[in-house]
Amino acid sequence: MIKAGIIGASGYTGGELLRLLVNHPNVKLELATSRSLAGKPVTSTHRHLEGFLDLNYENPDSEDIRERCDVVFLAVPHGSAMNYVPELLDGNTKVVDLSADYRLETSEFEKIYGIKHSDPRNAVYGLVELHPEVAKENFVANPGCFPTGSILAAAPLAAAGLIDIAVFDSKTGISGAGISPTQNSHYPNLAENIIPYKLTAHRHRAEIVQELTGLEGKLRNINFTPHVIPSIRGIFTTAHLFTKETLSTDDLKTIYEEFYRDRPFIRFPSGVPSLTAVRGSNFCDISFEADKENNRVVVLSAIDNLVKGASGQAIQNMNLMFGLDETCGLWMPATAP
Amino acid sequence: MIKAGIIGASGYTGGELLRLLVNHPNVKLELATSRSLAGKPVTSTHRHLEGFLDLNYENPDSEDIRERCDVVFLAVPHGSAMNYVPELLDGNTKVVDLSADYRLETSEFEKIYGIKHSDPRNAVYGLVELHPEVAKENFVANPGCFPTGSILAAAPLAAAGLIDIAVFDSKTGISGAGISPTQNSHYPNLAENIIPYKLTAHRHRAEIVQELTGLEGKLRNINFTPHVIPSIRGIFTTAHLFTKETLSTDDLKTIYEEFYRDRPFIRFPSGVPSLTAVRGSNFCDISFEADKENNRVVVLSAIDNLVKGASGQAIQNMNLMFGLDETCGLWMPATAP
Amino acid sequence: MIKAGIIGASGYTGGELLRLLVNHPNVKLELATSRSLAGKPVTSTHRHLEGFLDLNYENPDSEDIRERCDVVFLAVPHGSAMNYVPELLDGNTKVVDLSADYRLETSEFEKIYGIKHSDPRNAVYGLVELHPEVAKENFVANPGCFPTGSILAAAPLAAAGLIDIAVFDSKTGISGAGISPTQNSHYPNLAENIIPYKLTAHRHRAEIVQELTGLEGKLRNINFTPHVIPSIRGIFTTAHLFTKETLSTDDLKTIYEEFYRDRPFIRFPSGVPSLTAVRGSNFCDISFEADKENNRVVVLSAIDNLVKGASGQAIQNMNLMFGLDETCGLWMPATAP
Amino acid sequence: MIKAGIIGASGYTGGELLRLLVNHPNVKLELATSRSLAGKPVTSTHRHLEGFLDLNYENPDSEDIRERCDVVFLAVPHGSAMNYVPELLDGNTKVVDLSADYRLETSEFEKIYGIKHSDPRNAVYGLVELHPEVAKENFVANPGCFPTGSILAAAPLAAAGLIDIAVFDSKTGISGAGISPTQNSHYPNLAENIIPYKLTAHRHRAEIVQELTGLEGKLRNINFTPHVIPSIRGIFTTAHLFTKETLSTDDLKTIYEEFYRDRPFIRFPSGVPSLTAVRGSNFCDISFEADKENNRVVVLSAIDNLVKGASGQAIQNMNLMFGLDETCGLWMPATAP
């Protein structure tokens, strides 16, 4: 059994890691940390896990974590993970970092996040569908939630060198904003409404740019605008992609199915994707339609932001890092409706 | 492997049986029927199951069903199950009926549902926590969703002979009304609203009366009023129970924990139960508070109407009928938040 | 024109007073106060009022308020209104207090709220349908939101001496909890859920008891349990009333229509009341059904908590205090759907 | 008083016309028609209007309508209005048509809607902010809901000849789909989800193209993709506009404020627009942000689809057609929160 620890386990991504790991056939949950809640039962905050876990939150030092865990998931704020990684990796422990600290080139990270990076090492960007090489790594930077939905929607066309302009209009559930109440999560503000934010300069854009230009070096005109919708979970991305050639919907079908051949968590539903059909699951559902008049294609993707957009993808990475099938512990359908 | 068939698989309870059974370690899904959809893939209606099932809907006769299935779940409308049961039971096939046809005494059924019963056999009422004898049965009547929440909330006090008057004020998610659009499920009617119905004469009241008077013969004043709330899943029951003696919250704790000792799906959360903490799971979470001034106790219960209130409970029954642990295939936490 | 001031105008009830008063034909908005926002435009927090108001928040002393305003609405926290009332009333200014400070007998207030009362004067309880004598007052205590819905649902039967036991199971929108984010208002906690609280000891119960026993001295067994539902506005009350005599639904119709004859804001819809049909309006919609078997009647009431449950009712009081028709500025239909 | 009739009054736009007209100071409601409900009270379907209306649905012929009404609002399905218009206009009655029948050039209408047009007359497109000439007309084609939000978002830049490519990503509340339950309006399908449809070929695109090319003849690359969000009311439009020149946010401010100078229902909120801040009102709130890197500007608009997107705008047109101030009967703030 793989002994797993979660650093920063009291938030939504921590809770989701726990939910998925309690039934993972190859994992034993060894450790869940929280500075402020140390000593209290994990189920005092994650009440739905009552009966599945007998852990208390702890606040151990890095050496203790390293000795007790074969794998550590970092579910800590941006700028904080870099304080754990060097010491945790100083042994045989593998690390999946769910923060943004190692997703971008160091200089790009420093520019976008306004934080001096104390540990400028490289990490593989753990979007398994683009980077199967995570299987050889001890350390993986788990992608951001928005980039996961946007990159997966556009990667096949980007890799084919067909995109001229990309507009990602994304709609997220509010759980992406975290477990603490905010103005945006205040029910009277969000219900019956939609809240756009960071219209032109959301930090996740840098990940999208990095990965899509990694597929096609000349792609420059990449735009990303996120909105919060009245939903707990899910990220729905409407990608308006202007192409260099006129494509048909059949062309798209060929390109996408070929690109994602044998990727178990990519599905192409008949009809449009639905947040309902992925809720609680690790799938990314994708569909598309060509608009020949304006050389535009509309690509839609739906993920659960807490699963494929965070904790599920982290476990998918862990599975590969330990030589397991990538679906291990993740092969469950959505809780729909 | 137990070969399982679902009769009437295209609705929400059918879909939920499928969701839970695709990962059940001891079950092989053999058959899913739908008259109107025969020949079409099951995933054409239950899109979230894409990748998990390779079944088409069928419309076989009873002999065929009986020969192919070790267990059959009837997810058909009230009044329809009685047409299947006699033929299905004419062999070794076991049957769990999710309809109301066999939950009540025949005469009571005919009075409440206004339908002449063509098969007046007895069935065990499959609320496992009250009727562990389902383990010896080939045929079980799976409880209604509202009665599950109400009976579990009141049973310990009823069994102790302590209830004088019971008022069950229940709040259900709309999925209980089925997969077809209705006035109540029309988003502009339900969102930002609450819709009471059948204020004094809902048919599920008869099940509550039957089971509680089964525990305490003299209990008569039992009242039930349901409401639909803006939620997809879940039944939340507020039981206002006037007691014959003045009880403290500690008394209640003793009575409830004793009554439900070793029942794996009954939990007593700290704080109040939450539909979120049971969503997608088979748990019934219960809490209580005594109001000494008026000899009232307030008992709260939360279930997922499609799981513990229907399909999960049906599988719990199946597990016991086949000598399996009752948690088999059902031991998963809620998808929260 | 009546010059009106609002003390504590930055919250939801303040905003709702403003929304209703900007179009009141007999009122000129003179003053809106907020300590923390003094100097800022009122529309910086109440953005929907842009174009209707040219006021900045102020923080004047009581003398200034008294000199500038013919009427003052106190939309301040419980325990705070008592600091304003004596000075504001020391002149010709009339006051409608939306806080709880003067709703109860002083000793009862001190017991329930745990606050020493510094100004033990009496005030009329401004539920106009029971207390038309507000028309002769300079000072009125505006009722709580829950009590408004509960008392109006039960008053006709209480006045007839027919109630034996009353159970008020109330469901409120979250705006009643205020404009600041909280755990209960956090979208992932409230959406797809229902949150009961203060199961047996909510402070509003004391108002219900006071008013119903005021109608019928011997009525003792009064119970109140509130829940928050996923709705911004609205209070829906399900009153389970056990009666001393067996009543029919027709009896109820006679009793209720007679009791509320000529009350413009009480309506008896066909079918059940709906939060949608009262949203944004000052109506209280009521319906009822008798359950002869158990001598129970179910009475349902629906109000908008911010209008009839707070700010609209306050203006209804003001109208009468100034000799206006009580519907003045309030005669608008709900924003439905 | 202007005597007004509503043809097809039983749906949501009919109900909204009624809600707004019952308090319009210059209008007397004379007539509300419905074939299937003739003889029944209007409040039997629009329950929130109880107390405001004493009309029964009727089903009169055109001559009768013409004689009784100074103005007629057509709230009938597309393809049906053309059967009323010629006869209704054969006198002094003025007509505001809320259907699509006269919004487009006849040949364009026939192509887009697949319906042969029986009355190929011209009508002014009643978007008052672009077409103040409605004041001189007896007949006006009221704009579609989506085009209202999209055109108002882009018109200032289109008129300045600055748009190269326009992508309108719109999000609507479900009331736009009508009062009858559908798959999209089924609560379990829409709640916690977002449903895109007509990804590249929604019929409303033709109106957007017509009006924007009317402002700037060479503008060709216009794209429109709608989605339904979990909201009853509202249309939120995210316009991604690629411009021929690099603009700053200050440039946008100048252009927009100048273009909409003295338009009472256009507001520029600080921060982003909100469906909450326009709910129930006739406002269109607009904000914008320039993305200099890609010559993109993001313009956001929020309207209430049933008010500014339909019935409110129709009354705004009526006001001008009768020489009234355009705000008459419409000058009320949103019901927020």
Side-chain angles (χ1 to χ4, degrees):
Chain A
M1 296 293 273
I2 302 163
K3 285 178 288 174
I6 300 169
I7 312 302
S10 64
Y12 284 147
T13 51
E16 197 69 353
L17 283 164
L18 291 164
R19 178 178 79 88
L20 295 165
L21 290 176
V22 290
N23 278 340
H24 193 295
N26 303 86
V27 170
K28 180 184 176 302
L29 272 167
E30 170 67 28
L31 177 68
T33 84
S34 165
R35 277 187 204 167
S36 57
L37 298 166
K40 294 193 180 158
V42 168
T43 52
S44 66
T45 55
H46 300 302
R47 292 165 45 190
H48 59 298
L49 300 177
E50 186 70 46
F52 293 87
L53 270 181
D54 201 23
L55 284 181
N56 284 351
Y57 286 116
E58 299 179 57
N59 188 20
D61 63 22
S62 290
E63 189 180 340
D64 189 12
I65 298 170
R66 209 169 59 211
E67 285 177 2
R68 290 165 59 191
C69 300
D70 300 312
V71 65
V72 169
F73 295 94
L74 291 173
V76 296
H78 308 318
S80 178
M82 63 179 78
N83 300 325
Y84 289 92
V85 167
E87 292 189 11
L88 290 176
L89 288 176
D90 188 22
N92 293 316
T93 301
K94 303 186 184 195
V95 174
V96 181
D97 175 18
L98 284 82
S99 87
D101 287 10
Y102 297 88
R103 292 178 195 154
L104 303 171
E105 295 291 314
T106 303
S107 62
E108 185 74 0
F109 173 84
E110 294 186 337
K111 192 180 97 188
I112 300 286
Y113 285 83
I115 298 171
K116 177 76 184 159
H117 209 306
S118 60
D119 178 42
R121 82 180 64 212
N122 287 327
V124 174
Y125 188 78
L127 189 62
V128 170
E129 287 75 12
L130 297 192
H131 296 289
E133 68 268 28
V134 296
K136 295 175 288 187
E137 301 290 329
N138 287 327
F139 177 46
V140 167
N142 206 56
C145 53
F146 282 124
T148 297
S150 293
I151 297 165
L152 290 174
L157 283 179
L162 285 165
I163 299 178
D164 189 22
I165 302 175
V167 176
F168 298 100
D169 190 295
S170 291
K171 296 89 175 172
T172 184
I174 187 66
S175 59
I179 205 167
S180 297
T182 63
Q183 283 299 323
N184 279 4
S185 79
H186 188 49
Y187 189 92
N189 293 346
L190 181 56
E192 302 288 304
N193 200 4
I194 176 170
I195 308 175
Y197 64 110
K198 302 277 181 192
L199 305 181
T200 62
H202 191 283
R203 298 186 297 193
H204 278 180
R205 180 175 170 267
E207 293 178 43
I208 303 171
V209 169
Q210 169 181 287
E211 294 299 309
L212 293 184
T213 57
L215 291 166
E216 207 264 278
K218 286 173 293 183
L219 179 51
R220 282 291 172 275
N221 200 328
I222 296 174
N223 304 276
F224 171 65
T225 300
H227 310 68
V228 185
I229 57 170
S231 181
I232 301 170
R233 288 170 175 251
I235 290 181
F236 194 94
T237 300
T238 309
H240 306 271
L241 306 176
F242 293 89
T243 54
K244 294 174 178 167
E245 300 171 16
T246 304
L247 299 170
S248 69
T249 301
D250 279 348
D251 294 337
L252 294 170
K253 190 170 150 62
T254 305
I255 293 168
Y256 276 74
E257 289 184 355
E258 176 61 26
F259 190 86
Y260 288 126
R261 184 183 302 277
D262 298 327
R263 303 309 322 170
F265 289 117
I266 307 290
R267 298 189 298 193
F268 301 104
S270 61
V272 295
S274 157
L275 296 181
T276 308
V278 300
R279 185 157 51 226
S281 82
N282 199 51
F283 292 97
C284 178
D285 285 359
I286 298 176
S287 78
F288 29 73
E289 185 173 306
D291 177 10
K292 292 188 175 184
E293 183 176 340
N294 287 332
N295 274 7
R296 180 181 63 135
V297 305
V298 178
V299 184
L300 307 170
S301 73
I303 61 170
D304 184 315
N305 61 310
L306 294 180
V307 190
K308 182 60 181 169
S311 304
Q313 184 155 249
I315 293 169
Q316 192 182 358
N317 276 304
M318 179 205 77
N319 284 338
L320 290 171
M321 292 161 80
F322 283 85
L324 302 172
D325 187 277
E326 69 185 277
T327 65
C328 199
L330 294 172
W331 196 246
M332 61 189 75
T335 303
Chain B
M1 295 292 273
I2 301 164
K3 286 178 288 175
I6 300 169
I7 313 302
S10 64
Y12 284 145
T13 50
E16 196 69 352
L17 284 163
L18 291 164
R19 177 177 80 89
L20 295 166
L21 291 175
V22 292
N23 278 340
H24 194 294
N26 303 85
V27 170
K28 179 186 174 302
L29 273 167
E30 171 66 28
L31 177 69
T33 85
S34 164
R35 278 188 203 167
S36 57
L37 298 166
K40 295 193 178 158
V42 168
T43 53
S44 65
T45 54
H46 298 303
R47 292 164 49 190
H48 58 298
L49 300 177
E50 187 70 46
F52 293 87
L53 269 183
D54 201 22
L55 284 181
N56 284 352
Y57 285 117
E58 300 179 58
N59 188 18
D61 62 21
S62 289
E63 190 179 339
D64 189 12
I65 299 170
R66 210 170 56 211
E67 285 176 4
R68 291 164 60 190
C69 300
D70 300 314
V71 65
V72 169
F73 295 94
L74 291 173
V76 296
H78 308 320
S80 179
M82 63 180 77
N83 299 325
Y84 289 93
V85 167
E87 292 189 11
L88 290 176
L89 288 177
D90 187 23
N92 293 317
T93 300
K94 303 187 184 194
V95 174
V96 180
D97 176 19
L98 284 80
S99 87
D101 287 10
Y102 297 87
R103 292 178 195 153
L104 303 171
E105 295 290 314
T106 303
S107 61
E108 185 75 359
F109 173 84
E110 294 186 336
K111 190 179 98 187
I112 301 286
Y113 285 83
I115 298 171
K116 177 77 185 159
H117 209 305
S118 60
D119 178 41
R121 84 180 63 211
N122 287 327
V124 174
Y125 188 79
L127 190 62
V128 170
E129 286 76 10
L130 297 192
H131 297 289
E133 66 269 27
V134 297
K136 294 176 288 186
E137 300 291 326
N138 288 326
F139 177 48
V140 167
N142 206 56
C145 54
F146 282 123
T148 298
S150 293
I151 297 166
L152 290 174
L157 282 180
L162 285 166
I163 301 178
D164 189 21
I165 302 175
V167 176
F168 298 99
D169 189 294
S170 290
K171 297 88 175 174
T172 184
I174 186 66
S175 59
I179 205 167
S180 298
T182 62
Q183 283 299 325
N184 278 5
S185 79
H186 188 49
Y187 190 92
N189 293 344
L190 181 56
E192 302 288 306
N193 200 5
I194 176 170
I195 307 175
Y197 65 111
K198 302 278 182 192
L199 306 181
T200 61
H202 191 284
R203 298 186 297 194
H204 278 179
R205 180 175 170 267
E207 293 178 43
I208 303 171
V209 169
Q210 170 181 288
E211 294 300 309
L212 294 184
T213 57
L215 289 166
E216 206 265 280
K218 286 174 291 181
L219 179 51
R220 283 291 172 275
N221 200 329
I222 297 175
N223 305 275
F224 171 65
T225 300
H227 311 67
V228 186
I229 57 170
S231 180
I232 301 171
R233 288 169 176 253
I235 290 181
F236 194 95
T237 299
T238 310
H240 306 270
L241 306 176
F242 293 90
T243 53
K244 294 174 178 167
E245 300 171 16
T246 304
L247 300 169
S248 69
T249 301
D250 279 347
D251 294 336
L252 294 169
K253 189 168 151 60
T254 304
I255 293 168
Y256 275 74
E257 289 185 354
E258 176 61 27
F259 190 86
Y260 289 126
R261 183 183 303 276
D262 298 326
R263 303 309 321 171
F265 289 116
I266 307 290
R267 298 188 299 193
F268 301 104
S270 61
V272 294
S274 157
L275 296 181
T276 307
V278 299
R279 186 156 54 225
S281 83
N282 199 52
F283 292 97
C284 178
D285 284 0
I286 298 175
S287 78
F288 28 72
E289 185 172 307
D291 177 11
K292 292 190 176 182
E293 183 177 341
N294 287 332
N295 274 7
R296 180 180 65 135
V297 305
V298 178
V299 185
L300 306 170
S301 73
I303 60 170
D304 184 317
N305 60 311
L306 296 180
V307 190
K308 182 59 181 171
S311 304
Q313 184 154 249
I315 294 169
Q316 192 181 0
N317 276 303
M318 180 206 76
N319 284 340
L320 290 171
M321 293 161 79
F322 283 84
L324 302 171
D325 188 276
E326 70 185 279
T327 65
C328 199
L330 294 171
W331 196 247
M332 62 188 74
T335 303
Chain C
M1 297 293 273
I2 302 164
K3 285 178 289 175
I6 300 169
I7 312 303
S10 64
Y12 284 146
T13 50
E16 196 69 353
L17 284 164
L18 292 164
R19 178 178 79 88
L20 295 166
L21 291 176
V22 292
N23 279 340
H24 193 294
N26 303 85
V27 170
K28 180 184 176 302
L29 273 167
E30 170 67 28
L31 177 68
T33 84
S34 165
R35 276 187 205 168
S36 57
L37 298 166
K40 294 192 179 159
V42 169
T43 52
S44 65
T45 55
H46 300 302
R47 290 164 49 190
H48 59 298
L49 300 177
E50 186 70 46
F52 293 87
L53 269 183
D54 201 24
L55 285 181
N56 285 352
Y57 285 116
E58 300 179 57
N59 188 20
D61 61 22
S62 290
E63 190 178 340
D64 189 13
I65 299 171
R66 210 170 57 212
E67 285 176 2
R68 290 165 60 189
C69 300
D70 300 313
V71 64
V72 169
F73 296 93
L74 291 173
V76 296
H78 309 319
S80 178
M82 64 180 76
N83 300 325
Y84 289 92
V85 167
E87 292 189 11
L88 290 176
L89 287 176
D90 188 22
N92 293 317
T93 300
K94 303 187 183 195
V95 174
V96 181
D97 176 18
L98 285 81
S99 87
D101 287 10
Y102 297 88
R103 292 178 196 155
L104 302 171
E105 294 291 314
T106 303
S107 61
E108 185 74 0
F109 172 84
E110 294 186 336
K111 191 180 98 188
I112 300 286
Y113 285 84
I115 298 171
K116 176 77 185 159
H117 208 307
S118 60
D119 177 40
R121 83 180 64 210
N122 286 328
V124 173
Y125 189 78
L127 189 62
V128 170
E129 287 76 10
L130 296 193
H131 297 289
E133 66 268 27
V134 296
K136 294 175 290 186
E137 300 290 326
N138 288 326
F139 178 47
V140 168
N142 206 56
C145 54
F146 282 124
T148 297
S150 293
I151 296 165
L152 290 174
L157 282 180
L162 285 166
I163 301 177
D164 189 21
I165 301 175
V167 176
F168 298 99
D169 190 294
S170 291
K171 296 88 175 175
T172 184
I174 186 67
S175 58
I179 205 167
S180 297
T182 62
Q183 283 299 324
N184 278 4
S185 79
H186 188 49
Y187 189 92
N189 292 346
L190 181 56
E192 301 287 307
N193 200 4
I194 176 170
I195 307 175
Y197 64 110
K198 302 279 182 191
L199 305 181
T200 62
H202 192 284
R203 297 186 298 194
H204 278 180
R205 180 176 170 267
E207 293 178 43
I208 302 172
V209 169
Q210 170 182 287
E211 294 300 309
L212 294 184
T213 56
L215 291 167
E216 206 264 280
K218 285 173 293 181
L219 179 50
R220 282 291 172 275
N221 199 329
I222 297 175
N223 305 275
F224 170 65
T225 301
H227 311 68
V228 187
I229 57 170
S231 180
I232 301 170
R233 287 171 176 251
I235 290 181
F236 194 94
T237 300
T238 309
H240 307 270
L241 307 176
F242 292 89
T243 54
K244 294 175 178 167
E245 301 171 17
T246 306
L247 299 169
S248 69
T249 302
D250 279 347
D251 293 337
L252 294 169
K253 189 169 150 61
T254 304
I255 293 168
Y256 275 74
E257 289 184 354
E258 177 61 28
F259 190 86
Y260 288 126
R261 183 182 303 278
D262 298 326
R263 302 309 321 171
F265 288 116
I266 307 290
R267 298 189 299 195
F268 301 104
S270 61
V272 294
S274 156
L275 296 181
T276 308
V278 299
R279 185 157 52 227
S281 83
N282 199 52
F283 292 97
C284 178
D285 284 0
I286 298 175
S287 78
F288 28 73
E289 185 173 305
D291 177 10
K292 291 190 176 182
E293 184 177 339
N294 287 331
N295 273 7
R296 180 181 62 135
V297 305
V298 178
V299 185
L300 307 170
S301 73
I303 60 170
D304 184 316
N305 61 310
L306 296 180
V307 190
K308 182 60 180 169
S311 304
Q313 184 154 251
I315 294 169
Q316 193 181 359
N317 276 304
M318 179 205 77
N319 284 339
L320 290 171
M321 293 160 80
F322 283 84
L324 302 172
D325 188 276
E326 68 185 280
T327 66
C328 198
L330 295 171
W331 195 246
M332 61 189 76
T335 302
Chain D
M1 296 293 272
I2 301 164
K3 285 178 289 174
I6 300 169
I7 313 301
S10 64
Y12 284 146
T13 51
E16 196 69 353
L17 283 164
L18 291 164
R19 178 178 79 88
L20 295 166
L21 291 175
V22 292
N23 278 340
H24 193 294
N26 303 84
V27 171
K28 178 184 176 303
L29 272 167
E30 171 66 29
L31 177 68
T33 85
S34 164
R35 277 188 204 168
S36 57
L37 298 167
K40 293 191 180 160
V42 168
T43 52
S44 65
T45 55
H46 300 302
R47 291 164 48 188
H48 59 298
L49 300 177
E50 186 69 46
F52 293 87
L53 270 181
D54 201 22
L55 285 181
N56 284 352
Y57 285 117
E58 301 179 57
N59 188 18
D61 62 22
S62 290
E63 191 180 339
D64 189 13
I65 299 171
R66 211 169 57 210
E67 284 176 4
R68 290 165 60 189
C69 299
D70 300 313
V71 65
V72 169
F73 295 93
L74 290 173
V76 297
H78 308 319
S80 179
M82 63 179 77
N83 300 324
Y84 288 92
V85 167
E87 292 189 11
L88 289 177
L89 288 176
D90 188 22
N92 293 317
T93 301
K94 302 187 184 195
V95 174
V96 180
D97 176 18
L98 284 81
S99 87
D101 287 11
Y102 297 88
R103 292 178 197 155
L104 303 170
E105 294 291 313
T106 304
S107 60
E108 184 74 0
F109 172 83
E110 294 186 337
K111 192 180 98 189
I112 301 285
Y113 285 83
I115 298 171
K116 176 78 184 159
H117 209 305
S118 60
D119 177 41
R121 84 181 62 213
N122 287 326
V124 174
Y125 189 79
L127 190 61
V128 170
E129 286 76 12
L130 296 192
H131 297 289
E133 67 268 27
V134 297
K136 294 175 290 186
E137 301 290 329
N138 288 326
F139 177 46
V140 167
N142 206 57
C145 54
F146 282 123
T148 297
S150 291
I151 297 166
L152 290 173
L157 283 180
L162 285 165
I163 300 178
D164 189 22
I165 302 175
V167 176
F168 298 100
D169 189 296
S170 290
K171 297 88 175 173
T172 184
I174 187 65
S175 58
I179 204 167
S180 298
T182 63
Q183 283 298 324
N184 278 5
S185 78
H186 188 49
Y187 189 91
N189 293 345
L190 181 56
E192 301 289 304
N193 200 5
I194 176 170
I195 307 175
Y197 65 110
K198 302 279 182 192
L199 305 181
T200 62
H202 191 283
R203 298 186 298 195
H204 278 180
R205 180 175 170 268
E207 293 178 43
I208 303 171
V209 169
Q210 169 181 286
E211 294 300 309
L212 293 185
T213 58
L215 290 167
E216 206 264 279
K218 286 174 292 182
L219 179 52
R220 282 291 172 274
N221 199 329
I222 297 175
N223 305 276
F224 171 64
T225 300
H227 311 67
V228 187
I229 57 170
S231 180
I232 301 171
R233 289 169 175 252
I235 290 182
F236 194 95
T237 299
T238 310
H240 306 270
L241 306 176
F242 292 90
T243 54
K244 294 175 178 168
E245 301 171 15
T246 304
L247 300 170
S248 68
T249 301
D250 279 347
D251 295 336
L252 294 169
K253 190 170 151 60
T254 303
I255 292 168
Y256 275 74
E257 289 185 355
E258 176 62 27
F259 190 87
Y260 288 127
R261 183 182 302 277
D262 298 328
R263 303 308 323 171
F265 289 117
I266 307 291
R267 297 188 299 193
F268 302 104
S270 61
V272 294
S274 156
L275 296 181
T276 307
V278 299
R279 184 156 54 226
S281 83
N282 199 52
F283 292 97
C284 177
D285 284 0
I286 299 176
S287 78
F288 27 75
E289 185 172 307
D291 177 10
K292 292 189 175 182
E293 183 176 340
N294 288 331
N295 274 6
R296 181 180 63 135
V297 305
V298 177
V299 185
L300 306 170
S301 73
I303 60 170
D304 185 316
N305 61 312
L306 295 180
V307 190
K308 182 60 180 170
S311 304
Q313 185 154 248
I315 293 169
Q316 192 181 359
N317 276 304
M318 180 205 76
N319 284 339
L320 290 172
M321 292 161 80
F322 283 85
L324 301 172
D325 188 277
E326 68 185 280
T327 65
C328 198
L330 294 171
W331 196 247
M332 61 189 75
T335 304

